[in-house]
Amino acid sequence: MKHCDKCKIDVRGEFERCPLCQNKLTGESTPYEFPKVQSFYEKYEKIFKFAILVTSSLSIISIAVNILLPQSGHWSLFVLFGVICFWLTTNICIKKRQVISQNIAAEAVIISILCVIWDKFTGWHGWSVDYVIPIIFSWAMLGLFVATKILKIKMPDYVFSFVICIFFGLAPFILCITGVTKILIPSVICIALSIISFITLVLYDGKELIKKISHIKKNGVALATPFLIL
């Protein structure tokens, strides 16, 4: 450890001069040890590697199948679009952890609306409702579910996750029963993911949700009582 003869202090680290008086230090330097803080990506490295493997494999397989079956249209582009949206959503979740649910919902809805407008002004081929909306909502649900469990989202943002899961499954369902959607497979997958996500959330965190809802109801009644008396 280095020493300052003027200030009579010991200085840890690679300093050449005293940080107080700028006098030249004597002795050998000692490494200044800081505890290593892992980044979010380093902490969940295995999960990210697995997610990269799955999304990359899905994209490659989709492109390969699309090349072998060109008469089916360019549907692999929508898969790639969904993968990109998934990683954009994940990135937003990590950087803005306080409003994750709102960001995911807003991103999915905005992209869906823009695609519907694009489909409308290019002659309406139905690809926006057949592929984009269910695929975007499916990836958004997966991103939300992963973020909810990894980042341990707390109330009330957690309650919003339930609403999003219902909405993301309800929208494709309405499009199916009204006959707007012609290709049912992406919508059916989205609806199934919505139901599975919702059931999983209820099974693992249902008690906490019920407590929160009960608390909100009590506060609501308490707040409404003075107005009822008047």
Side-chain angles (χ1 to χ4, degrees):
M1 186 179 295
K2 291 191 174 183
H3 182 78
C4 178
D5 296 326
K6 185 177 180 180
C7 298
K8 307 299 180 183
I9 61 169
D10 294 324
V11 180
R12 186 187 296 272
E14 303 294 335
F15 296 99
E16 293 296 331
R17 295 185 176 276
C18 176
L20 299 179
C21 67
Q22 298 303 312
N23 187 46
K24 190 172 182 179
L25 299 173
T26 59
E28 296 183 0
S29 60
T30 304
Y32 195 80
E33 298 180 357
F34 284 100
K36 184 179 179 181
V37 179
Q38 287 184 317
S39 66
F40 187 85
Y41 296 99
E42 291 175 336
K43 187 176 181 181
Y44 299 100
E45 182 180 0
K46 291 183 179 180
I47 295 177
F48 279 107
K49 285 184 177 180
F50 178 75
I52 292 172
L53 176 62
V54 171
T55 52
S56 300
S57 301
L58 180 62
S59 301
I60 294 170
I61 292 172
S62 299
I63 294 172
V65 173
N66 206 172
I67 292 174
L68 294 173
L69 301 172
Q71 67 276 11
S72 62
H74 303 291
W75 54 269
S76 60
L77 295 176
F78 298 110
V79 176
L80 292 176
F81 186 64
V83 170
I84 292 171
C85 289
F86 170 76
W87 284 113
L88 285 175
T89 301
T90 303
N91 187 53
I92 291 173
C93 289
I94 294 171
K95 291 184 176 181
K96 298 182 179 181
R97 304 181 194 180
Q98 302 301 321
V99 286
I100 294 174
S101 300
Q102 291 89 330
N103 286 327
I104 292 177
E107 183 182 350
V109 171
I110 290 172
I111 292 174
S112 299
I113 292 174
L114 291 175
C115 288
V116 170
I117 295 173
W118 182 13
D119 195 1
K120 178 70 175 178
F121 282 94
T122 54
W124 187 257
H125 297 88
W127 53 265
S128 59
V129 293
D130 289 340
Y131 297 104
V132 174
I133 290 179
I135 289 174
I136 292 297
F137 283 2
S138 296
W139 282 113
M141 273 190 291
L142 289 173
L144 174 62
F145 185 76
V146 171
T148 300
K149 305 312 293 184
I150 292 179
L151 301 180
K152 298 179 181 179
I153 301 176
K154 301 298 182 182
M155 301 290 186
D157 199 43
Y158 195 80
V159 178
F160 197 67
S161 302
F162 283 82
V163 179
I164 293 175
C165 285
I166 296 173
F167 173 76
F168 282 170
L170 185 62
F173 177 75
I174 293 174
L175 293 174
C176 286
I177 62 175
T178 54
V180 177
T181 300
K182 304 301 180 183
I183 309 298
L184 299 179
I185 294 178
S187 294
V188 171
I189 294 174
C190 182
I191 295 168
L193 283 175
S194 173
I195 296 172
I196 293 171
S197 299
F198 184 77
I199 291 174
T200 303
L201 290 170
V202 170
L203 289 176
Y204 284 93
D205 300 284
K207 291 182 180 180
E208 187 177 358
L209 177 64
I210 293 173
K211 289 180 181 178
K212 186 64 180 179
I213 293 175
S214 300
H215 180 69
I216 293 173
K217 285 183 177 180
K218 289 180 181 179
N219 289 342
V221 172
L223 291 172
T225 301
F227 295 98
L228 293 174
I229 294 174
L230 292 175

mmCIF file of all heavy atoms in Angstrom, residues 141-163:
data_model
loop_
_atom_site.group_PDB
_atom_site.id
_atom_site.type_symbol
_atom_site.label_atom_id
_atom_site.label_comp_id
_atom_site.label_asym_id
_atom_site.label_seq_id
_atom_site.Cartn_x
_atom_site.Cartn_y
_atom_site.Cartn_z
ATOM 1 N N MET A 141 -46.844 -11.267 -25.621
ATOM 2 C CA MET A 141 -47.216 -12.043 -24.427
ATOM 3 C C MET A 141 -46.033 -12.815 -23.885
ATOM 4 O O MET A 141 -45.809 -12.860 -22.670
ATOM 5 C CB MET A 141 -48.358 -13.003 -24.758
ATOM 6 C CG MET A 141 -49.734 -12.402 -24.614
ATOM 7 S SD MET A 141 -51.022 -13.659 -24.722
ATOM 8 C CE MET A 141 -50.907 -14.115 -26.447
ATOM 9 N N LEU A 142 -45.272 -13.426 -24.776
ATOM 10 C CA LEU A 142 -44.090 -14.170 -24.339
ATOM 11 C C LEU A 142 -43.075 -13.233 -23.686
ATOM 12 O O LEU A 142 -42.507 -13.551 -22.636
ATOM 13 C CB LEU A 142 -43.452 -14.882 -25.535
ATOM 14 C CG LEU A 142 -44.231 -16.070 -26.112
ATOM 15 C CD1 LEU A 142 -43.559 -16.566 -27.387
ATOM 16 C CD2 LEU A 142 -44.333 -17.194 -25.094
ATOM 17 N N GLY A 143 -42.867 -12.068 -24.303
ATOM 18 C CA GLY A 143 -41.952 -11.088 -23.734
ATOM 19 C C GLY A 143 -42.415 -10.599 -22.379
ATOM 20 O O GLY A 143 -41.627 -10.446 -21.444
ATOM 21 N N LEU A 144 -43.717 -10.368 -22.253
ATOM 22 C CA LEU A 144 -44.289 -9.912 -20.992
ATOM 23 C C LEU A 144 -44.145 -10.970 -19.912
ATOM 24 O O LEU A 144 -43.779 -10.679 -18.774
ATOM 25 C CB LEU A 144 -45.762 -9.555 -21.186
ATOM 26 C CG LEU A 144 -46.552 -9.193 -19.930
ATOM 27 C CD1 LEU A 144 -45.955 -7.959 -19.271
ATOM 28 C CD2 LEU A 144 -48.011 -8.965 -20.265
ATOM 29 N N PHE A 145 -44.435 -12.221 -20.278
ATOM 30 C CA PHE A 145 -44.372 -13.303 -19.296
ATOM 31 C C PHE A 145 -42.947 -13.511 -18.796
ATOM 32 O O PHE A 145 -42.718 -13.658 -17.592
ATOM 33 C CB PHE A 145 -44.906 -14.597 -19.916
ATOM 34 C CG PHE A 145 -44.984 -15.735 -18.947
ATOM 35 C CD1 PHE A 145 -45.986 -15.796 -17.996
ATOM 36 C CD2 PHE A 145 -44.037 -16.749 -18.973
ATOM 37 C CE1 PHE A 145 -46.050 -16.847 -17.092
ATOM 38 C CE2 PHE A 145 -44.092 -17.804 -18.073
ATOM 39 C CZ PHE A 145 -45.104 -17.852 -17.138
ATOM 40 N N VAL A 146 -41.987 -13.506 -19.731
ATOM 41 C CA VAL A 146 -40.583 -13.672 -19.349
ATOM 42 C C VAL A 146 -40.133 -12.517 -18.461
ATOM 43 O O VAL A 146 -39.489 -12.716 -17.429
ATOM 44 C CB VAL A 146 -39.689 -13.760 -20.606
ATOM 45 C CG1 VAL A 146 -38.218 -13.702 -20.228
ATOM 46 C CG2 VAL A 146 -39.977 -15.047 -21.364
ATOM 47 N N ALA A 147 -40.497 -11.295 -18.858
ATOM 48 C CA ALA A 147 -40.109 -10.118 -18.076
ATOM 49 C C ALA A 147 -40.748 -10.129 -16.697
ATOM 50 O O ALA A 147 -40.124 -9.754 -15.705
ATOM 51 C CB ALA A 147 -40.508 -8.846 -18.824
ATOM 52 N N THR A 148 -41.999 -10.589 -16.622
ATOM 53 C CA THR A 148 -42.711 -10.632 -15.346
ATOM 54 C C THR A 148 -42.014 -11.543 -14.359
ATOM 55 O O THR A 148 -41.873 -11.215 -13.174
ATOM 56 C CB THR A 148 -44.162 -11.106 -15.553
ATOM 57 O OG1 THR A 148 -44.833 -10.192 -16.427
ATOM 58 C CG2 THR A 148 -44.911 -11.166 -14.236
ATOM 59 N N LYS A 149 -41.556 -12.703 -14.839
ATOM 60 C CA LYS A 149 -40.932 -13.668 -13.946
ATOM 61 C C LYS A 149 -39.483 -13.305 -13.644
ATOM 62 O O LYS A 149 -39.030 -13.429 -12.510
ATOM 63 C CB LYS A 149 -40.996 -15.066 -14.561
ATOM 64 C CG LYS A 149 -42.397 -15.526 -14.947
ATOM 65 C CD LYS A 149 -43.432 -15.303 -13.844
ATOM 66 C CE LYS A 149 -43.193 -16.169 -12.627
ATOM 67 N NZ LYS A 149 -44.263 -16.001 -11.606
ATOM 68 N N ILE A 150 -38.736 -12.853 -14.660
ATOM 69 C CA ILE A 150 -37.315 -12.552 -14.461
ATOM 70 C C ILE A 150 -37.120 -11.286 -13.637
ATOM 71 O O ILE A 150 -36.349 -11.251 -12.682
ATOM 72 C CB ILE A 150 -36.595 -12.418 -15.816
ATOM 73 C CG1 ILE A 150 -36.533 -13.786 -16.513
ATOM 74 C CG2 ILE A 150 -35.173 -11.880 -15.625
ATOM 75 C CD1 ILE A 150 -35.857 -13.740 -17.861
ATOM 76 N N LEU A 151 -37.852 -10.223 -14.021
ATOM 77 C CA LEU A 151 -37.684 -8.935 -13.347
ATOM 78 C C LEU A 151 -38.517 -8.824 -12.075
ATOM 79 O O LEU A 151 -38.410 -7.841 -11.358
ATOM 80 C CB LEU A 151 -38.051 -7.798 -14.309
ATOM 81 C CG LEU A 151 -37.239 -7.732 -15.605
ATOM 82 C CD1 LEU A 151 -37.711 -6.577 -16.461
ATOM 83 C CD2 LEU A 151 -35.762 -7.610 -15.308
ATOM 84 N N LYS A 152 -39.365 -9.831 -11.843
ATOM 85 C CA LYS A 152 -40.200 -9.862 -10.633
ATOM 86 C C LYS A 152 -41.018 -8.583 -10.494
ATOM 87 O O LYS A 152 -40.891 -7.830 -9.524
ATOM 88 C CB LYS A 152 -39.328 -10.082 -9.398
ATOM 89 C CG LYS A 152 -38.579 -11.409 -9.423
ATOM 90 C CD LYS A 152 -37.705 -11.585 -8.198
ATOM 91 C CE LYS A 152 -36.957 -12.907 -8.257
ATOM 92 N NZ LYS A 152 -36.086 -13.107 -7.087
ATOM 93 N N ILE A 153 -41.856 -8.362 -11.479
ATOM 94 C CA ILE A 153 -42.698 -7.170 -11.490
ATOM 95 C C ILE A 153 -43.651 -7.193 -10.303
ATOM 96 O O ILE A 153 -44.274 -8.208 -10.011
ATOM 97 C CB ILE A 153 -43.504 -7.084 -12.794
ATOM 98 C CG1 ILE A 153 -42.541 -7.044 -13.989
ATOM 99 C CG2 ILE A 153 -44.415 -5.865 -12.809
ATOM 100 C CD1 ILE A 153 -43.227 -7.066 -15.316
ATOM 101 N N LYS A 154 -43.778 -6.076 -9.655
ATOM 102 C CA LYS A 154 -44.648 -5.969 -8.483
ATOM 103 C C LYS A 154 -45.954 -5.284 -8.858
ATOM 104 O O LYS A 154 -46.127 -4.721 -9.928
ATOM 105 C CB LYS A 154 -43.941 -5.171 -7.375
ATOM 106 C CG LYS A 154 -42.616 -5.796 -6.936
ATOM 107 C CD LYS A 154 -42.809 -7.178 -6.357
ATOM 108 C CE LYS A 154 -41.487 -7.765 -5.884
ATOM 109 N NZ LYS A 154 -41.635 -9.129 -5.347
ATOM 110 N N MET A 155 -46.898 -5.312 -7.920
ATOM 111 C CA MET A 155 -48.154 -4.603 -8.081
ATOM 112 C C MET A 155 -47.843 -3.103 -8.075
ATOM 113 O O MET A 155 -46.909 -2.674 -7.405
ATOM 114 C CB MET A 155 -49.107 -4.937 -6.938
ATOM 115 C CG MET A 155 -49.434 -6.415 -6.815
ATOM 116 S SD MET A 155 -50.471 -6.955 -8.180
ATOM 117 C CE MET A 155 -50.838 -8.642 -7.669
ATOM 118 N N PRO A 156 -48.690 -2.251 -8.768
ATOM 119 C CA PRO A 156 -49.871 -2.626 -9.558
ATOM 120 C C PRO A 156 -49.569 -2.978 -11.001
ATOM 121 O O PRO A 156 -50.446 -3.350 -11.734
ATOM 122 C CB PRO A 156 -50.715 -1.354 -9.494
ATOM 123 C CG PRO A 156 -49.686 -0.259 -9.461
ATOM 124 C CD PRO A 156 -48.519 -0.793 -8.677
ATOM 125 N N ASP A 157 -48.296 -2.847 -11.400
ATOM 126 C CA ASP A 157 -47.945 -3.136 -12.786
ATOM 127 C C ASP A 157 -48.238 -4.591 -13.125
ATOM 128 O O ASP A 157 -48.549 -4.923 -14.264
ATOM 129 C CB ASP A 157 -46.464 -2.833 -13.018
ATOM 130 C CG ASP A 157 -46.114 -2.672 -14.487
ATOM 131 O OD1 ASP A 157 -46.900 -2.013 -15.187
ATOM 132 O OD2 ASP A 157 -45.090 -3.202 -14.914
ATOM 133 N N TYR A 158 -48.173 -5.440 -12.112
ATOM 134 C CA TYR A 158 -48.425 -6.864 -12.321
ATOM 135 C C TYR A 158 -49.881 -7.117 -12.698
ATOM 136 O O TYR A 158 -50.182 -7.990 -13.506
ATOM 137 C CB TYR A 158 -48.068 -7.623 -11.048
ATOM 138 C CG TYR A 158 -47.949 -9.108 -11.237
ATOM 139 C CD1 TYR A 158 -46.787 -9.654 -11.772
ATOM 140 C CD2 TYR A 158 -48.988 -9.959 -10.898
ATOM 141 C CE1 TYR A 158 -46.666 -11.012 -11.950
ATOM 142 C CE2 TYR A 158 -48.873 -11.320 -11.075
ATOM 143 C CZ TYR A 158 -47.707 -11.842 -11.598
ATOM 144 O OH TYR A 158 -47.598 -13.186 -11.786
ATOM 145 N N VAL A 159 -50.799 -6.349 -12.095
ATOM 146 C CA VAL A 159 -52.221 -6.500 -12.420
ATOM 147 C C VAL A 159 -52.456 -6.180 -13.883
ATOM 148 O O VAL A 159 -53.253 -6.839 -14.561
ATOM 149 C CB VAL A 159 -53.075 -5.556 -11.535
ATOM 150 C CG1 VAL A 159 -54.552 -5.672 -11.890
ATOM 151 C CG2 VAL A 159 -52.860 -5.890 -10.069
ATOM 152 N N PHE A 160 -51.746 -5.196 -14.377
ATOM 153 C CA PHE A 160 -51.895 -4.807 -15.777
ATOM 154 C C PHE A 160 -51.488 -5.937 -16.711
ATOM 155 O O PHE A 160 -51.973 -6.038 -17.834
ATOM 156 C CB PHE A 160 -51.042 -3.557 -16.044
ATOM 157 C CG PHE A 160 -51.409 -2.824 -17.299
ATOM 158 C CD1 PHE A 160 -52.632 -2.188 -17.413
ATOM 159 C CD2 PHE A 160 -50.531 -2.784 -18.363
ATOM 160 C CE1 PHE A 160 -52.967 -1.512 -18.571
ATOM 161 C CE2 PHE A 160 -50.857 -2.111 -19.525
ATOM 162 C CZ PHE A 160 -52.085 -1.468 -19.627
ATOM 163 N N SER A 161 -50.585 -6.811 -16.245
ATOM 164 C CA SER A 161 -50.160 -7.956 -17.040
ATOM 165 C C SER A 161 -51.336 -8.883 -17.333
ATOM 166 O O SER A 161 -51.455 -9.429 -18.430
ATOM 167 C CB SER A 161 -49.065 -8.738 -16.299
ATOM 168 O OG SER A 161 -47.959 -7.924 -16.024
ATOM 169 N N PHE A 162 -52.207 -9.059 -16.351
ATOM 170 C CA PHE A 162 -53.384 -9.900 -16.542
ATOM 171 C C PHE A 162 -54.301 -9.305 -17.610
ATOM 172 O O PHE A 162 -54.818 -10.006 -18.480
ATOM 173 C CB PHE A 162 -54.157 -10.023 -15.223
ATOM 174 C CG PHE A 162 -53.528 -10.975 -14.245
ATOM 175 C CD1 PHE A 162 -52.482 -10.572 -13.437
ATOM 176 C CD2 PHE A 162 -53.967 -12.279 -14.140
ATOM 177 C CE1 PHE A 162 -51.896 -11.446 -12.532
ATOM 178 C CE2 PHE A 162 -53.388 -13.155 -13.245
ATOM 179 C CZ PHE A 162 -52.349 -12.735 -12.435
ATOM 180 N N VAL A 163 -54.499 -8.010 -17.541
ATOM 181 C CA VAL A 163 -55.364 -7.337 -18.506
ATOM 182 C C VAL A 163 -54.803 -7.482 -19.915
ATOM 183 O O VAL A 163 -55.542 -7.733 -20.871
ATOM 184 C CB VAL A 163 -55.509 -5.843 -18.143
ATOM 185 C CG1 VAL A 163 -56.390 -5.130 -19.156
ATOM 186 C CG2 VAL A 163 -56.073 -5.694 -16.740
#
